[in-house]
Amino acid sequence: MPSFWDRVRGFASRARTPPSSSPPSPATADGVARSLRDLLDDPSIPADVRTSLADDFARIEAMLARIENGELHVAVFGRVSAGKSALGNALLRRGAFTVGVLHGTTTDANPARLDEAAHDGLVLIDTPGINELGGEEREHLAFEVAEVSDLVVFVADGDLTREERDALRTLAETRRPLIVALNKIDRYTDDEREGLLERLREHTKGLVRPEDVIGVAALPSPKVFVEVDERGREVRHERAMPADVRALRERLLAIAEREGKALSSVNAGLFAGRLTDQVSERIATARRDLAGRLIRQYCIAKGVAVALNPVPVADLLVAAGLDAAMVVQLSRVYGLPLTRSESGRLVAVISAQLAALMGAIWGMQLAASALKGLSGGLSIVVTAAAQGALGWYATVLIGRAAERYLVAGKSWGEYGAKRAVADIVASLDRDSILREAREEILKRLKTRHA
């Protein structure tokens, strides 16, 4: 049965495939939804990994609901005071989002369904301003929301600043469709407005389609007019003006109708792909940590066993048995179980390569084994610790080489066992390993003799 990351790794490419009249496939919205459900329900994901990525799995749940409900999520993004919240309210034709004159009015991401497009499931998400002073967390939240939305409306109220251009480039890297809304167009004359829209199209070339740079007036300034009363006195009045967001609303509705489900599917696939990579890395890290602890346990067991065995050379046979048992356990950690005989053959291959590379070390170990039976008193402890340390070091090498073989799917790779084992030997600090081994073994030997 394929693992969960094998099943979802192709989400992004499959989701872009045009649907056809054939039965639903993983390329369709329904197919992606089924694949997301498989990811959520996959029993092969370790519980600790699932817990550490709980927020991301919750997002997958939300994306699944979005696809199943046919929703299109739109992040309203931009600089503080550009009018993001006001634009969202104008599109919704109600006060769904807080509008204020102070920086930082929006402190969280608040979704609300677009009334006119309820049948299309268009959902707006207001976000914090990207340039809030001291608001790095809010800016991070804004980028995070944009990443899991289906498209982004970037609100500006004039020509783009360097910060805004940088933010647009970052957003473009998320591969979300971008619409730039030039807000507060009521402040400009017709010629000024057209000139500013043209400059925005130039500055966003390659990031935003020209037709997706649109002028809006989310909260127009009141219009001042003068009336003459019955006594002939001039009286100034202010009249609230209606929002002008029709062009943007029609553009959003057109996108929702034409490609809403496709966008949701593609973006869910992209996010699932990133989650897959995170889960794979967490599992790989957990396996490496567990393998490291397992190898150390066998190093201690082998080092002490070799040091304590009073029979010359027989201690080496004990060591070989421990190495084979260690490799069996490592194979289970990496989900590629080996039998005891398979483990023994693998240890033999690694040991042969080590003997070819490090003949002198193995000669020292055999000599120490012979000397141990002829020594007495404290010399036995010292000699035993030295031999045990060499056994410890050999176990580290065998364990790491076996781990590399298992990580590669029971393969030594293109250059074979000789190169793989040589790389392991070169990557480890022999002196520090031997020093640690001697200290640990002496401590344990002294405890036993106390």
Side-chain angles (χ1 to χ4, degrees):
M1 176 179 177
S3 62
F4 73 95
W5 52 82
D6 292 328
R7 295 203 299 269
V8 301
R9 193 170 296 281
F11 269 8
S13 59
R14 295 199 302 268
R16 292 184 183 277
T17 306
S20 66
S21 58
S22 58
S25 71
T28 66
D30 290 341
V32 171
R34 285 200 301 273
S35 297
L36 289 176
R37 179 57 65 190
D38 289 342
L39 171 59
L40 290 169
D41 296 339
D42 197 310
S44 69
I45 302 175
D48 58 336
V49 172
R50 188 181 289 276
T51 299
S52 67
L53 295 172
D55 290 345
D56 294 304
F57 278 96
R59 283 186 178 176
I60 292 291
E61 287 276 13
M63 288 178 171
L64 179 61
R66 180 191 312 178
I67 293 173
E68 292 174 344
N69 296 332
E71 293 181 350
L72 178 67
H73 286 225
V74 179
V76 185
F77 207 89
R79 183 172 47 80
V80 165
S81 299
K84 304 183 303 342
S85 299
L87 180 58
N89 290 340
L91 288 168
L92 295 167
R93 294 177 178 167
R94 71 177 191 272
F97 304 118
T98 302
V99 178
V101 296
L102 298 178
H103 282 192
T105 296
T106 303
T107 58
D108 204 347
N110 307 297
R113 187 177 297 278
L114 185 63
D115 288 342
E116 297 85 355
H119 61 286
D120 289 318
L122 189 58
V123 175
L124 296 183
I125 304 175
D126 192 20
T127 65
I130 62 172
N131 64 328
E132 174 66 22
L133 183 62
E136 293 181 1
E137 292 183 359
R138 296 183 187 180
E139 184 172 343
H140 173 75
L141 174 63
F143 277 94
E144 190 176 57
V145 171
E147 186 180 19
V148 296
S149 298
D150 299 312
L151 62 87
V152 176
V153 174
F154 193 96
V155 184
D157 60 0
D159 202 0
L160 296 179
T161 64
R162 177 179 296 180
E163 185 177 47
E164 287 173 315
R165 291 197 294 270
D166 290 344
L168 267 174
R169 282 192 288 269
T170 301
L171 289 168
E173 291 174 1
T174 69
R175 289 185 271 181
R176 298 297 183 270
L178 293 172
I179 295 176
V180 172
L182 173 61
N183 195 19
K184 306 177 184 178
I185 58 172
D186 55 299
R187 298 180 178 182
Y188 306 103
T189 65
D190 291 345
D191 289 342
E192 289 172 339
R193 181 174 63 250
E194 291 306 317
L196 186 51
L197 286 170
E198 189 56 37
R199 287 199 297 276
L200 288 175
R201 292 184 180 108
E202 291 174 2
H203 289 157
T204 60
K205 187 176 181 180
L207 302 176
V208 182
R209 291 176 292 190
E211 62 269 26
D212 287 335
V213 178
I214 301 169
V216 298
L219 191 62
S221 300
K223 185 176 181 179
V224 178
F225 64 97
V226 178
E227 289 182 346
V228 179
D229 65 13
E230 58 186 14
R231 297 183 181 181
R233 292 177 302 184
E234 292 184 351
V235 181
R236 297 171 62 87
H237 295 279
E238 287 188 352
R239 178 182 301 164
M241 302 302 294
D244 180 6
V245 295
R246 181 177 56 83
L248 177 58
R249 182 187 289 113
E250 289 178 354
R251 184 69 182 144
L252 290 173
L253 294 178
I255 291 173
E257 182 176 357
R258 186 180 69 248
E259 51 189 306
K261 278 198 173 184
L263 282 173
S264 294
S265 299
V266 168
N267 294 331
L270 291 173
F271 184 82
R274 286 190 294 276
L275 179 59
T276 292
D277 292 340
Q278 291 181 56
V279 173
S280 299
E281 180 56 33
R282 295 287 179 91
I283 291 176
T285 299
R287 284 174 169 171
R288 286 194 299 268
D289 292 345
L290 179 56
R293 292 195 298 271
L294 183 67
I295 291 171
R296 179 175 172 78
Q297 290 171 0
Y298 274 90
C299 284
I300 294 172
K302 179 178 175 180
V304 172
V306 169
L308 290 176
N309 195 313
V311 182
V313 183
D315 50 9
L316 301 182
L317 299 177
V318 173
L322 287 172
D323 287 337
M326 175 185 66
V327 171
V328 169
Q329 295 300 318
L330 285 173
S331 71
R332 292 173 180 169
V333 168
Y334 283 96
L336 297 169
L338 296 173
T339 64
R340 189 59 181 262
S341 61
E342 289 174 329
S343 173
R345 288 195 294 271
L346 180 57
V347 170
V349 169
I350 297 171
S351 298
Q353 297 302 324
L354 288 173
L357 287 167
M358 306 167 65
I361 288 180
W362 297 119
M364 289 171 59
Q365 186 169 7
L366 285 169
S369 178
L371 286 171
K372 184 168 60 176
L374 302 175
S375 302
L378 182 62
S379 63
I380 292 180
V381 175
V382 175
T383 304
Q387 185 185 4
L390 287 172
W392 178 307
Y393 178 53
T395 296
V396 172
L397 294 175
I398 290 171
R400 293 305 179 191
E403 185 180 16
R404 177 164 174 169
Y405 173 80
L406 292 166
V407 168
K410 295 185 179 180
S411 170
W412 288 117
E414 180 180 356
Y415 300 103
K418 181 177 181 180
R419 173 66 176 274
V421 173
D423 288 345
I424 295 295
V425 173
S427 69
L428 297 175
D429 184 344
R430 181 184 64 190
D431 292 338
S432 65
I433 293 173
L434 289 173
R435 182 169 56 252
E436 178 192 4
R438 283 194 298 269
E439 292 173 355
E440 183 68 27
I441 292 170
L442 277 171
K443 181 175 68 176
R444 290 173 182 268
L445 289 179
K446 291 175 181 178
T447 300
R448 288 173 179 267
H449 284 79

